[in-house]
Structures are given as structure tokens and as C-alpha cells.
Amino acid sequence: MDRYCVFGNPIGHSKSPAIHAAFAAQTGQQLTYEARLAPLDGFAAAVQAFIAEGGKGANVTVPFKLEAHKLAQALTVRAQAAGAVNTLHFTEQGIIGDNTDGAGLVADIVNNAGVAITGKRVLLLGAGGAARGVVLPLLEHRPAQLVIANRTVATAEELARQFAALGGAGVVSGCGFGQVEGPFDIVINATSASLQGDLPPLPDGVFAPGTLALDMMYGAQPTVFMQYASGHGALARDGLGMLVEQAAEAFAVWRGVHPATGEVLHRLRAAL
Ligand code: NDP
């Protein structure tokens, strides 16, 4: 049977083995998928050992996405744009690095939440690895505006500069939280503030009734960001759909078949 895994440290919490087992059963694909703890100073060796054992591909999570980007012998366009790799494909041509996080987010917004991005005003909070990975897939849907706001303003401005030419004249801009001028149709929280129970310091008027407010984090309870957004009339959504959709994209990269995600998302949600 073809073998796949997810590398991380820590990795015990990972939902990826359950997600990929469900995809394999649904599509009739014969494969195994396990969670592997890679030593903090031994990611490349762990990947090479897995390839030597016959591994066909791997997902990569915290803290190895940048190392995976360096390790890959070729990169997809979206992995180059993201500057990080969450999906490795071991082929006869070598190790291909891909990034499915952004495609996963966009699929969750467009297909699962049923919200079009085209022509909309989009606010992206944060300019770290997760934010960087979603800029290109968002721009491919031609939003009217994409504002990137970050605590460290220079990082947001730099990220906006990198993608300015792709978005069209005046579409992409970067600023600090205090300079954000709402309202927006879609607000994506790609900061890690929710991990500490914090809220990015947003000015009033960012949300309007019907704004889609998506926090990349997920858990049994709504995050502070989701609670705040709901309190201002927005439709709040967590990052569980993004997690399942990025896994489906990776499965498609490896197996050439895109699994259905609805039932898997429903079961994961029930088990949170
Ligand atoms: P990084 O460490 O690369 O970036 C963190 C970002 O959050 C930076 O922009 C940082 O700003 C900002 N930040 C951190 N603390 C605060 C705070 N208290 N207030 C405001 N801004 C803050 O992290 P990642 O980009 O890798 O991850 C971000 C989030 O996305 C995490 O919660 C992660 O779990 C989630 N994620 C979810 C996925 C999914 O499938 N659902 C996939 C990938 C990520 P500064 O530049 O100023 O430091």
C-alpha cells in the first residue's frame, strides 16, 4: 500500500490521519497515512528516512513548513508565492513542494460558506506564514480590494508590495490595525492572537451585517475573534473547514482524485 504521513513537532494532536483515512475510504484508494514526530533538528533526515521506507508523500505542519520549502527540489507556483510548503510529493523527478493552505481557505469560503470573493472587499489580518500562503489564492478570485493589516506594519506593507502587481492597480495594500477603514465583505483572521485568547485591536466599523468573519483557528468553542465579529453582526466561521479543504487538496495532488469534504467536516466538528 502507498504510504503517506504528516510531520510536525508536536504532532499528537493532528487530525490529518483521521481526515486522510476518511478520504481514502470514500474514494476507494489503497493507502496508509500516519502522524510522525520529527525531531526539531532532524526534519530533513526524517523525510529521507520516510522516502527510503517507500513513502509517496507527506504533509508538513508547525514548525517545519519553511524547512520543507528549502528541502523541496522543485516548487509549485503557489508554494513559491507562499514561501512555505505544507505538502511534499515524492516523485521520480524528486521532491516536489506544494502549498495547499490557501486553496483550502478559498475552497472553504467559496464552496462551504457559499461566499464569492470576486468583486468583494477583503481584509486579511496578520502577515505571518498563514497569511502569506493565502494571498495568491485570494487574488486569483479577483477581489475588489485586499487590505493586509498587521501588528508589525512594515511586514504587512512588504507583503502587499510583493503581490501588488498581481492584484491589479490599487487592489492590494498593507497597513497597521489602526489604519483599517471598513466595512469589509470578508475578514480573515490569520494572526495567532486567538491562540492566546487575544483580539487584534481593530477599529470600529470593520464588520457590517452579513460580513463573513473567518478565524483560521478552531476549537470546541468560538474564538474571541468569532465572538467579537458575531457581536457586530458578522457571520463567524472557524478554521476547521480550511483544515479539511487543505487536506483534500493535498489528497488530490497525490492521488489525482478530489474527495468530497462535507461529511468529513461534519464528523470532525461533532468530535471537537
Ligand atoms: P506566524 O507565527 O507565522 O504569524 C503570526 C501572525 O500573528 C503575525 O502576523 C503576528 O504579527 C500576528 N500576531 C501574533 N500575536 C498577535 C497578537 N497578540 N495581536 C495581533 N497580532 C498578533 O503564524 P502562522 O501564520 O503560521 O499561523 C497563524 C494562525 O493560523 C495560527 O492560529 C494557526 O493555528 C492558524 N492556521 C490554521 C490553519 C488551518 O488549516 N486552519 C493552517 C495554518 C495556520 P507580527 O508580525 O507583528 O508578529
PDB file of all heavy atoms in Angstrom, residues 62 65 101 125-131 150-152 155 177 189-196 198-201 215-218 239-240 242-244 246, ligand 1:
ATOM      1  N   VAL A  62       3.516  22.742  11.720  1.00  0.00           N
ATOM      2  CA  VAL A  62       4.384  23.523  12.609  1.00  0.00           C
ATOM      3  C   VAL A  62       5.424  22.609  13.267  1.00  0.00           C
ATOM      4  O   VAL A  62       5.048  21.549  13.752  1.00  0.00           O
ATOM      5  CB  VAL A  62       3.525  24.206  13.697  1.00  0.00           C
ATOM      6  CG1 VAL A  62       4.385  24.985  14.671  1.00  0.00           C
ATOM      7  CG2 VAL A  62       2.487  25.115  13.044  1.00  0.00           C
ATOM      8  N   LYS A  65       7.355  24.100   8.080  1.00  0.00           N
ATOM      9  CA  LYS A  65       6.919  24.489   6.731  1.00  0.00           C
ATOM     10  C   LYS A  65       8.012  25.233   5.947  1.00  0.00           C
ATOM     11  O   LYS A  65       8.084  25.120   4.729  1.00  0.00           O
ATOM     12  CB  LYS A  65       5.642  25.337   6.803  1.00  0.00           C
ATOM     13  CG  LYS A  65       4.412  24.523   7.218  1.00  0.00           C
ATOM     14  CD  LYS A  65       3.147  25.357   7.160  1.00  0.00           C
ATOM     15  CE  LYS A  65       1.973  24.575   7.721  1.00  0.00           C
ATOM     16  NZ  LYS A  65       0.707  25.307   7.631  1.00  0.00           N
ATOM     17  N   ASP A 101      -2.629  25.285   1.705  1.00  0.00           N
ATOM     18  CA  ASP A 101      -3.365  26.013   2.755  1.00  0.00           C
ATOM     19  C   ASP A 101      -4.278  27.089   2.154  1.00  0.00           C
ATOM     20  O   ASP A 101      -5.440  27.233   2.549  1.00  0.00           O
ATOM     21  CB  ASP A 101      -2.389  26.682   3.737  1.00  0.00           C
ATOM     22  CG  ASP A 101      -1.829  25.699   4.756  1.00  0.00           C
ATOM     23  OD1 ASP A 101      -2.488  24.676   5.037  1.00  0.00           O
ATOM     24  OD2 ASP A 101      -0.726  25.951   5.273  1.00  0.00           O
ATOM     25  N   LEU A 125      -6.064  39.806   8.230  1.00  0.00           N
ATOM     26  CA  LEU A 125      -5.375  40.217   9.463  1.00  0.00           C
ATOM     27  C   LEU A 125      -4.192  39.291   9.699  1.00  0.00           C
ATOM     28  O   LEU A 125      -4.361  38.072   9.796  1.00  0.00           O
ATOM     29  CB  LEU A 125      -6.342  40.138  10.650  1.00  0.00           C
ATOM     30  CG  LEU A 125      -7.627  40.962  10.504  1.00  0.00           C
ATOM     31  CD1 LEU A 125      -8.604  40.629  11.632  1.00  0.00           C
ATOM     32  CD2 LEU A 125      -7.289  42.451  10.513  1.00  0.00           C
ATOM     33  N   GLY A 126      -2.988  39.869   9.818  1.00  0.00           N
ATOM     34  CA  GLY A 126      -1.771  39.074  10.010  1.00  0.00           C
ATOM     35  C   GLY A 126      -0.942  39.057   8.747  1.00  0.00           C
ATOM     36  O   GLY A 126      -1.479  39.238   7.635  1.00  0.00           O
ATOM     37  N   ALA A 127       0.364  38.869   8.911  1.00  0.00           N
ATOM     38  CA  ALA A 127       1.266  38.811   7.756  1.00  0.00           C
ATOM     39  C   ALA A 127       2.329  37.747   7.990  1.00  0.00           C
ATOM     40  O   ALA A 127       3.440  37.843   7.466  1.00  0.00           O
ATOM     41  CB  ALA A 127       1.903  40.186   7.524  1.00  0.00           C
ATOM     42  N   GLY A 128       1.989  36.727   8.769  1.00  0.00           N
ATOM     43  CA  GLY A 128       2.914  35.611   9.021  1.00  0.00           C
ATOM     44  C   GLY A 128       2.762  34.543   7.945  1.00  0.00           C
ATOM     45  O   GLY A 128       2.242  34.809   6.858  1.00  0.00           O
ATOM     46  N   GLY A 129       3.199  33.330   8.270  1.00  0.00           N
ATOM     47  CA  GLY A 129       3.215  32.247   7.287  1.00  0.00           C
ATOM     48  C   GLY A 129       1.840  31.935   6.725  1.00  0.00           C
ATOM     49  O   GLY A 129       1.685  31.759   5.508  1.00  0.00           O
ATOM     50  N   ALA A 130       0.827  31.877   7.573  1.00  0.00           N
ATOM     51  CA  ALA A 130      -0.511  31.506   7.106  1.00  0.00           C
ATOM     52  C   ALA A 130      -1.080  32.594   6.197  1.00  0.00           C
ATOM     53  O   ALA A 130      -1.688  32.297   5.164  1.00  0.00           O
ATOM     54  CB  ALA A 130      -1.437  31.273   8.297  1.00  0.00           C
ATOM     55  N   ALA A 131      -0.874  33.855   6.563  1.00  0.00           N
ATOM     56  CA  ALA A 131      -1.368  34.964   5.738  1.00  0.00           C
ATOM     57  C   ALA A 131      -0.685  34.964   4.376  1.00  0.00           C
ATOM     58  O   ALA A 131      -1.347  35.071   3.330  1.00  0.00           O
ATOM     59  CB  ALA A 131      -1.126  36.289   6.455  1.00  0.00           C
ATOM     60  N   ASN A 150      -1.415  44.302   9.826  1.00  0.00           N
ATOM     61  CA  ASN A 150      -0.592  43.533  10.764  1.00  0.00           C
ATOM     62  C   ASN A 150      -0.096  44.401  11.901  1.00  0.00           C
ATOM     63  O   ASN A 150       0.010  45.616  11.771  1.00  0.00           O
ATOM     64  CB  ASN A 150       0.611  42.931  10.012  1.00  0.00           C
ATOM     65  CG  ASN A 150       1.290  41.839  10.811  1.00  0.00           C
ATOM     66  OD1 ASN A 150       0.622  41.003  11.413  1.00  0.00           O
ATOM     67  ND2 ASN A 150       2.621  41.843  10.837  1.00  0.00           N
ATOM     68  N   ARG A 151       0.188  43.733  13.034  1.00  0.00           N
ATOM     69  CA  ARG A 151       0.740  44.424  14.207  1.00  0.00           C
ATOM     70  C   ARG A 151       2.058  45.098  13.832  1.00  0.00           C
ATOM     71  O   ARG A 151       2.252  46.290  14.085  1.00  0.00           O
ATOM     72  CB  ARG A 151       0.943  43.388  15.326  1.00  0.00           C
ATOM     73  CG  ARG A 151       1.438  43.921  16.617  1.00  0.00           C
ATOM     74  CD  ARG A 151       1.487  42.831  17.654  1.00  0.00           C
ATOM     75  NE  ARG A 151       2.353  41.710  17.268  1.00  0.00           N
ATOM     76  CZ  ARG A 151       2.514  40.606  17.984  1.00  0.00           C
ATOM     77  NH1 ARG A 151       1.853  40.464  19.119  1.00  0.00           N
ATOM     78  NH2 ARG A 151       3.316  39.652  17.574  1.00  0.00           N
ATOM     79  N   THR A 152       2.967  44.358  13.206  1.00  0.00           N
ATOM     80  CA  THR A 152       4.203  44.941  12.686  1.00  0.00           C
ATOM     81  C   THR A 152       3.887  45.459  11.285  1.00  0.00           C
ATOM     82  O   THR A 152       3.785  44.685  10.326  1.00  0.00           O
ATOM     83  CB  THR A 152       5.335  43.889  12.631  1.00  0.00           C
ATOM     84  OG1 THR A 152       5.429  43.264  13.912  1.00  0.00           O
ATOM     85  CG2 THR A 152       6.667  44.509  12.268  1.00  0.00           C
ATOM     86  N   THR A 155       5.802  44.610   7.942  1.00  0.00           N
ATOM     87  CA  THR A 155       5.635  43.268   7.360  1.00  0.00           C
ATOM     88  C   THR A 155       4.414  43.228   6.457  1.00  0.00           C
ATOM     89  O   THR A 155       4.426  42.613   5.389  1.00  0.00           O
ATOM     90  CB  THR A 155       5.485  42.216   8.487  1.00  0.00           C
ATOM     91  OG1 THR A 155       6.403  42.524   9.523  1.00  0.00           O
ATOM     92  CG2 THR A 155       5.765  40.823   7.965  1.00  0.00           C
ATOM     93  N   PHE A 177      -3.289  47.859  12.160  1.00  0.00           N
ATOM     94  CA  PHE A 177      -4.697  47.638  12.519  1.00  0.00           C
ATOM     95  C   PHE A 177      -5.450  48.965  12.639  1.00  0.00           C
ATOM     96  O   PHE A 177      -6.612  49.075  12.262  1.00  0.00           O
ATOM     97  CB  PHE A 177      -4.804  46.858  13.832  1.00  0.00           C
ATOM     98  CG  PHE A 177      -4.253  45.455  13.743  1.00  0.00           C
ATOM     99  CD1 PHE A 177      -3.295  45.013  14.652  1.00  0.00           C
ATOM    100  CD2 PHE A 177      -4.689  44.578  12.775  1.00  0.00           C
ATOM    101  CE1 PHE A 177      -2.790  43.724  14.579  1.00  0.00           C
ATOM    102  CE2 PHE A 177      -4.192  43.283  12.694  1.00  0.00           C
ATOM    103  CZ  PHE A 177      -3.235  42.853  13.600  1.00  0.00           C
ATOM    104  N   ASN A 189      -8.992  36.222   9.869  1.00  0.00           N
ATOM    105  CA  ASN A 189      -8.013  36.373  10.943  1.00  0.00           C
ATOM    106  C   ASN A 189      -6.918  35.324  10.786  1.00  0.00           C
ATOM    107  O   ASN A 189      -7.096  34.159  11.119  1.00  0.00           O
ATOM    108  CB  ASN A 189      -8.678  36.230  12.312  1.00  0.00           C
ATOM    109  CG  ASN A 189      -7.708  36.517  13.443  1.00  0.00           C
ATOM    110  OD1 ASN A 189      -6.594  37.018  13.207  1.00  0.00           O
ATOM    111  ND2 ASN A 189      -8.102  36.206  14.665  1.00  0.00           N
ATOM    112  N   ALA A 190      -5.766  35.753  10.249  1.00  0.00           N
ATOM    113  CA  ALA A 190      -4.618  34.856  10.081  1.00  0.00           C
ATOM    114  C   ALA A 190      -3.525  35.219  11.084  1.00  0.00           C
ATOM    115  O   ALA A 190      -2.367  34.874  10.887  1.00  0.00           O
ATOM    116  CB  ALA A 190      -4.079  34.935   8.656  1.00  0.00           C
ATOM    117  N   THR A 191      -3.898  35.944  12.159  1.00  0.00           N
ATOM    118  CA  THR A 191      -2.931  36.166  13.236  1.00  0.00           C
ATOM    119  C   THR A 191      -3.004  34.951  14.173  1.00  0.00           C
ATOM    120  O   THR A 191      -3.952  34.178  14.128  1.00  0.00           O
ATOM    121  CB  THR A 191      -3.248  37.423  14.067  1.00  0.00           C
ATOM    122  OG1 THR A 191      -4.392  37.163  14.896  1.00  0.00           O
ATOM    123  CG2 THR A 191      -3.502  38.635  13.201  1.00  0.00           C
ATOM    124  N   SER A 192      -1.990  34.836  15.014  1.00  0.00           N
ATOM    125  CA  SER A 192      -2.040  33.764  16.008  1.00  0.00           C
ATOM    126  C   SER A 192      -2.569  34.287  17.341  1.00  0.00           C
ATOM    127  O   SER A 192      -2.426  33.639  18.363  1.00  0.00           O
ATOM    128  CB  SER A 192      -0.652  33.125  16.162  1.00  0.00           C
ATOM    129  OG  SER A 192       0.317  34.122  16.359  1.00  0.00           O
ATOM    130  N   ALA A 193      -3.193  35.489  17.315  1.00  0.00           N
ATOM    131  CA  ALA A 193      -3.693  36.102  18.553  1.00  0.00           C
ATOM    132  C   ALA A 193      -4.701  35.200  19.278  1.00  0.00           C
ATOM    133  O   ALA A 193      -4.712  35.129  20.504  1.00  0.00           O
ATOM    134  CB  ALA A 193      -4.333  37.458  18.241  1.00  0.00           C
ATOM    135  N   SER A 194      -5.542  34.489  18.497  1.00  0.00           N
ATOM    136  CA  SER A 194      -6.576  33.651  19.111  1.00  0.00           C
ATOM    137  C   SER A 194      -5.971  32.550  19.984  1.00  0.00           C
ATOM    138  O   SER A 194      -6.618  32.079  20.914  1.00  0.00           O
ATOM    139  CB  SER A 194      -7.453  33.010  18.033  1.00  0.00           C
ATOM    140  OG  SER A 194      -8.134  33.995  17.298  1.00  0.00           O
ATOM    141  N   LEU A 195      -4.738  32.152  19.670  1.00  0.00           N
ATOM    142  CA  LEU A 195      -4.074  31.098  20.464  1.00  0.00           C
ATOM    143  C   LEU A 195      -3.922  31.538  21.916  1.00  0.00           C
ATOM    144  O   LEU A 195      -3.974  30.723  22.835  1.00  0.00           O
ATOM    145  CB  LEU A 195      -2.683  30.775  19.888  1.00  0.00           C
ATOM    146  CG  LEU A 195      -2.644  30.036  18.554  1.00  0.00           C
ATOM    147  CD1 LEU A 195      -1.209  29.963  18.025  1.00  0.00           C
ATOM    148  CD2 LEU A 195      -3.214  28.638  18.691  1.00  0.00           C
ATOM    149  N   GLN A 196      -3.727  32.860  22.120  1.00  0.00           N
ATOM    150  CA  GLN A 196      -3.603  33.395  23.491  1.00  0.00           C
ATOM    151  C   GLN A 196      -4.912  34.003  23.981  1.00  0.00           C
ATOM    152  O   GLN A 196      -4.934  34.680  25.003  1.00  0.00           O
ATOM    153  CB  GLN A 196      -2.511  34.475  23.561  1.00  0.00           C
ATOM    154  CG  GLN A 196      -1.108  34.015  23.231  1.00  0.00           C
ATOM    155  CD  GLN A 196      -0.704  34.388  21.808  1.00  0.00           C
ATOM    156  OE1 GLN A 196      -0.957  35.498  21.362  1.00  0.00           O
ATOM    157  NE2 GLN A 196      -0.082  33.449  21.094  1.00  0.00           N
ATOM    158  N   ASP A 198      -6.421  36.403  22.521  1.00  0.00           N
ATOM    159  CA  ASP A 198      -6.383  37.852  22.264  1.00  0.00           C
ATOM    160  C   ASP A 198      -7.151  38.194  20.991  1.00  0.00           C
ATOM    161  O   ASP A 198      -7.378  37.342  20.136  1.00  0.00           O
ATOM    162  CB  ASP A 198      -4.934  38.330  22.086  1.00  0.00           C
ATOM    163  CG  ASP A 198      -4.156  38.287  23.380  1.00  0.00           C
ATOM    164  OD1 ASP A 198      -4.803  38.300  24.446  1.00  0.00           O
ATOM    165  OD2 ASP A 198      -2.914  38.224  23.318  1.00  0.00           O
ATOM    166  N   LEU A 199      -7.464  39.494  20.891  1.00  0.00           N
ATOM    167  CA  LEU A 199      -8.190  40.009  19.733  1.00  0.00           C
ATOM    168  C   LEU A 199      -7.291  41.045  19.059  1.00  0.00           C
ATOM    169  O   LEU A 199      -6.768  41.919  19.739  1.00  0.00           O
ATOM    170  CB  LEU A 199      -9.466  40.688  20.247  1.00  0.00           C
ATOM    171  CG  LEU A 199     -10.554  41.079  19.284  1.00  0.00           C
ATOM    172  CD1 LEU A 199     -11.163  39.857  18.632  1.00  0.00           C
ATOM    173  CD2 LEU A 199     -11.625  41.864  20.055  1.00  0.00           C
ATOM    174  N   PRO A 200      -7.085  40.985  17.734  1.00  0.00           N
ATOM    175  CA  PRO A 200      -6.342  42.085  17.098  1.00  0.00           C
ATOM    176  C   PRO A 200      -7.084  43.391  17.359  1.00  0.00           C
ATOM    177  O   PRO A 200      -8.324  43.413  17.285  1.00  0.00           O
ATOM    178  CB  PRO A 200      -6.364  41.720  15.608  1.00  0.00           C
ATOM    179  CG  PRO A 200      -6.686  40.267  15.549  1.00  0.00           C
ATOM    180  CD  PRO A 200      -7.533  39.976  16.761  1.00  0.00           C
ATOM    181  N   PRO A 201      -6.373  44.473  17.692  1.00  0.00           N
ATOM    182  CA  PRO A 201      -7.045  45.744  18.047  1.00  0.00           C
ATOM    183  C   PRO A 201      -7.623  46.436  16.822  1.00  0.00           C
ATOM    184  O   PRO A 201      -7.023  47.328  16.246  1.00  0.00           O
ATOM    185  CB  PRO A 201      -5.919  46.564  18.693  1.00  0.00           C
ATOM    186  CG  PRO A 201      -4.660  46.003  18.111  1.00  0.00           C
ATOM    187  CD  PRO A 201      -4.907  44.571  17.766  1.00  0.00           C
ATOM    188  N   ASP A 215     -11.945  32.929  11.265  1.00  0.00           N
ATOM    189  CA  ASP A 215     -10.732  32.781  12.067  1.00  0.00           C
ATOM    190  C   ASP A 215     -10.060  31.479  11.647  1.00  0.00           C
ATOM    191  O   ASP A 215     -10.714  30.427  11.621  1.00  0.00           O
ATOM    192  CB  ASP A 215     -11.096  32.714  13.561  1.00  0.00           C
ATOM    193  CG  ASP A 215      -9.888  32.974  14.458  1.00  0.00           C
ATOM    194  OD1 ASP A 215      -8.742  32.731  14.009  1.00  0.00           O
ATOM    195  OD2 ASP A 215     -10.096  33.423  15.597  1.00  0.00           O
ATOM    196  N   MET A 216      -8.774  31.528  11.292  1.00  0.00           N
ATOM    197  CA  MET A 216      -8.097  30.296  10.872  1.00  0.00           C
ATOM    198  C   MET A 216      -7.974  29.285  12.013  1.00  0.00           C
ATOM    199  O   MET A 216      -7.753  28.105  11.786  1.00  0.00           O
ATOM    200  CB  MET A 216      -6.707  30.616  10.319  1.00  0.00           C
ATOM    201  CG  MET A 216      -6.726  31.249   8.957  1.00  0.00           C
ATOM    202  SD  MET A 216      -5.070  31.184   8.258  1.00  0.00           S
ATOM    203  CE  MET A 216      -5.324  32.133   6.768  1.00  0.00           C
ATOM    204  N   MET A 217      -8.086  29.768  13.248  1.00  0.00           N
ATOM    205  CA  MET A 217      -8.019  28.845  14.379  1.00  0.00           C
ATOM    206  C   MET A 217      -9.366  28.141  14.564  1.00  0.00           C
ATOM    207  O   MET A 217     -10.395  28.623  14.098  1.00  0.00           O
ATOM    208  CB  MET A 217      -7.674  29.615  15.649  1.00  0.00           C
ATOM    209  CG  MET A 217      -7.011  28.756  16.695  1.00  0.00           C
ATOM    210  SD  MET A 217      -6.650  29.738  18.131  1.00  0.00           S
ATOM    211  CE  MET A 217      -7.436  28.737  19.363  1.00  0.00           C
ATOM    212  N   TYR A 218      -9.350  27.004  15.241  1.00  0.00           N
ATOM    213  CA  TYR A 218     -10.602  26.298  15.518  1.00  0.00           C
ATOM    214  C   TYR A 218     -10.516  25.630  16.878  1.00  0.00           C
ATOM    215  O   TYR A 218      -9.423  25.425  17.417  1.00  0.00           O
ATOM    216  CB  TYR A 218     -10.898  25.255  14.427  1.00  0.00           C
ATOM    217  CG  TYR A 218      -9.784  24.270  14.220  1.00  0.00           C
ATOM    218  CD1 TYR A 218      -9.652  23.149  15.035  1.00  0.00           C
ATOM    219  CD2 TYR A 218      -8.828  24.485  13.223  1.00  0.00           C
ATOM    220  CE1 TYR A 218      -8.608  22.263  14.858  1.00  0.00           C
ATOM    221  CE2 TYR A 218      -7.785  23.604  13.044  1.00  0.00           C
ATOM    222  CZ  TYR A 218      -7.677  22.490  13.863  1.00  0.00           C
ATOM    223  OH  TYR A 218      -6.632  21.622  13.699  1.00  0.00           O
ATOM    224  N   GLY A 239     -11.583  27.775  11.521  1.00  0.00           N
ATOM    225  CA  GLY A 239     -10.636  27.262  10.526  1.00  0.00           C
ATOM    226  C   GLY A 239     -10.729  25.760  10.285  1.00  0.00           C
ATOM    227  O   GLY A 239      -9.882  25.205   9.575  1.00  0.00           O
ATOM    228  N   LEU A 240     -11.758  25.113  10.824  1.00  0.00           N
ATOM    229  CA  LEU A 240     -11.848  23.662  10.647  1.00  0.00           C
ATOM    230  C   LEU A 240     -12.120  23.291   9.180  1.00  0.00           C
ATOM    231  O   LEU A 240     -11.557  22.320   8.667  1.00  0.00           O
ATOM    232  CB  LEU A 240     -12.941  23.080  11.558  1.00  0.00           C
ATOM    233  CG  LEU A 240     -12.868  21.573  11.778  1.00  0.00           C
ATOM    234  CD1 LEU A 240     -11.593  21.176  12.507  1.00  0.00           C
ATOM    235  CD2 LEU A 240     -14.086  21.070  12.564  1.00  0.00           C
ATOM    236  N   MET A 242     -11.169  25.018   6.588  1.00  0.00           N
ATOM    237  CA  MET A 242      -9.901  25.232   5.879  1.00  0.00           C
ATOM    238  C   MET A 242      -8.990  24.024   6.060  1.00  0.00           C
ATOM    239  O   MET A 242      -8.336  23.566   5.109  1.00  0.00           O
ATOM    240  CB  MET A 242      -9.226  26.490   6.430  1.00  0.00           C
ATOM    241  CG  MET A 242      -7.840  26.743   5.882  1.00  0.00           C
ATOM    242  SD  MET A 242      -7.108  28.208   6.638  1.00  0.00           S
ATOM    243  CE  MET A 242      -5.469  28.182   5.922  1.00  0.00           C
ATOM    244  N   LEU A 243      -8.955  23.493   7.280  1.00  0.00           N
ATOM    245  CA  LEU A 243      -8.106  22.326   7.570  1.00  0.00           C
ATOM    246  C   LEU A 243      -8.503  21.138   6.685  1.00  0.00           C
ATOM    247  O   LEU A 243      -7.650  20.491   6.070  1.00  0.00           O
ATOM    248  CB  LEU A 243      -8.238  21.949   9.051  1.00  0.00           C
ATOM    249  CG  LEU A 243      -7.445  20.716   9.468  1.00  0.00           C
ATOM    250  CD1 LEU A 243      -5.975  21.057   9.627  1.00  0.00           C
ATOM    251  CD2 LEU A 243      -7.992  20.113  10.756  1.00  0.00           C
ATOM    252  N   VAL A 244      -9.797  20.876   6.614  1.00  0.00           N
ATOM    253  CA  VAL A 244     -10.281  19.730   5.825  1.00  0.00           C
ATOM    254  C   VAL A 244     -10.040  19.982   4.334  1.00  0.00           C
ATOM    255  O   VAL A 244      -9.621  19.079   3.597  1.00  0.00           O
ATOM    256  CB  VAL A 244     -11.777  19.475   6.111  1.00  0.00           C
ATOM    257  CG1 VAL A 244     -12.334  18.405   5.191  1.00  0.00           C
ATOM    258  CG2 VAL A 244     -11.974  19.067   7.565  1.00  0.00           C
ATOM    259  N   GLN A 246      -7.696  21.941   2.901  1.00  0.00           N
ATOM    260  CA  GLN A 246      -6.281  21.851   2.501  1.00  0.00           C
ATOM    261  C   GLN A 246      -5.852  20.392   2.417  1.00  0.00           C
ATOM    262  O   GLN A 246      -5.022  20.023   1.580  1.00  0.00           O
ATOM    263  CB  GLN A 246      -5.349  22.687   3.406  1.00  0.00           C
ATOM    264  CG  GLN A 246      -5.253  22.298   4.882  1.00  0.00           C
ATOM    265  CD  GLN A 246      -4.408  21.044   5.151  1.00  0.00           C
ATOM    266  OE1 GLN A 246      -3.488  20.735   4.390  1.00  0.00           O
ATOM    267  NE2 GLN A 246      -4.712  20.326   6.215  1.00  0.00           N
TER     268      GLN A 246
HETATM  269  P1  NDP B   1       3.080  33.117  12.394  1.00  0.00           P
HETATM  270  O1  NDP B   1       3.775  32.981  13.687  1.00  0.00           O
HETATM  271  O2  NDP B   1       3.849  32.935  11.115  1.00  0.00           O
HETATM  272  O3  NDP B   1       2.414  34.600  12.295  1.00  0.00           O
HETATM  273  C1  NDP B   1       1.693  35.114  13.380  1.00  0.00           C
HETATM  274  C2  NDP B   1       0.959  36.389  12.948  1.00  0.00           C
HETATM  275  O4  NDP B   1       0.094  36.775  14.021  1.00  0.00           O
HETATM  276  C3  NDP B   1       1.879  37.580  12.689  1.00  0.00           C
HETATM  277  O5  NDP B   1       1.303  38.369  11.673  1.00  0.00           O
HETATM  278  C4  NDP B   1       1.865  38.291  14.044  1.00  0.00           C
HETATM  279  O6  NDP B   1       2.141  39.678  13.936  1.00  0.00           O
HETATM  280  C5  NDP B   1       0.433  38.097  14.450  1.00  0.00           C
HETATM  281  N1  NDP B   1       0.185  38.153  15.903  1.00  0.00           N
HETATM  282  C6  NDP B   1       0.670  37.311  16.853  1.00  0.00           C
HETATM  283  N2  NDP B   1       0.170  37.629  18.075  1.00  0.00           N
HETATM  284  C7  NDP B   1      -0.638  38.708  17.877  1.00  0.00           C
HETATM  285  C8  NDP B   1      -1.444  39.495  18.751  1.00  0.00           C
HETATM  286  N3  NDP B   1      -1.499  39.251  20.076  1.00  0.00           N
HETATM  287  N4  NDP B   1      -2.170  40.500  18.223  1.00  0.00           N
HETATM  288  C9  NDP B   1      -2.129  40.752  16.893  1.00  0.00           C
HETATM  289  N5  NDP B   1      -1.377  40.048  16.008  1.00  0.00           N
HETATM  290  C10 NDP B   1      -0.643  39.029  16.504  1.00  0.00           C
HETATM  291  O7  NDP B   1       1.835  32.114  12.485  1.00  0.00           O
HETATM  292  P2  NDP B   1       1.051  31.418  11.275  1.00  0.00           P
HETATM  293  O8  NDP B   1       0.850  32.445  10.229  1.00  0.00           O
HETATM  294  O9  NDP B   1       1.722  30.159  10.905  1.00  0.00           O
HETATM  295  O10 NDP B   1      -0.356  30.994  11.947  1.00  0.00           O
HETATM  296  C11 NDP B   1      -1.372  31.953  12.245  1.00  0.00           C
HETATM  297  C12 NDP B   1      -2.647  31.242  12.682  1.00  0.00           C
HETATM  298  O11 NDP B   1      -3.222  30.486  11.604  1.00  0.00           O
HETATM  299  C13 NDP B   1      -2.453  30.232  13.821  1.00  0.00           C
HETATM  300  O12 NDP B   1      -3.531  30.405  14.731  1.00  0.00           O
HETATM  301  C14 NDP B   1      -2.551  28.880  13.137  1.00  0.00           C
HETATM  302  O13 NDP B   1      -3.017  27.878  14.022  1.00  0.00           O
HETATM  303  C15 NDP B   1      -3.566  29.172  12.048  1.00  0.00           C
HETATM  304  N6  NDP B   1      -3.509  28.255  10.890  1.00  0.00           N
HETATM  305  C16 NDP B   1      -4.616  27.471  10.595  1.00  0.00           C
HETATM  306  C17 NDP B   1      -4.636  26.600   9.512  1.00  0.00           C
HETATM  307  C18 NDP B   1      -5.863  25.762   9.228  1.00  0.00           C
HETATM  308  O14 NDP B   1      -5.809  24.837   8.397  1.00  0.00           O
HETATM  309  N7  NDP B   1      -6.998  26.042   9.845  1.00  0.00           N
HETATM  310  C19 NDP B   1      -3.449  26.444   8.623  1.00  0.00           C
HETATM  311  C20 NDP B   1      -2.336  27.325   9.001  1.00  0.00           C
HETATM  312  C21 NDP B   1      -2.388  28.171  10.102  1.00  0.00           C
HETATM  313  P3  NDP B   1       3.662  40.248  13.959  1.00  0.00           P
HETATM  314  O15 NDP B   1       4.162  40.157  12.543  1.00  0.00           O
HETATM  315  O16 NDP B   1       3.507  41.641  14.426  1.00  0.00           O
HETATM  316  O17 NDP B   1       4.445  39.389  14.909  1.00  0.00           O
END
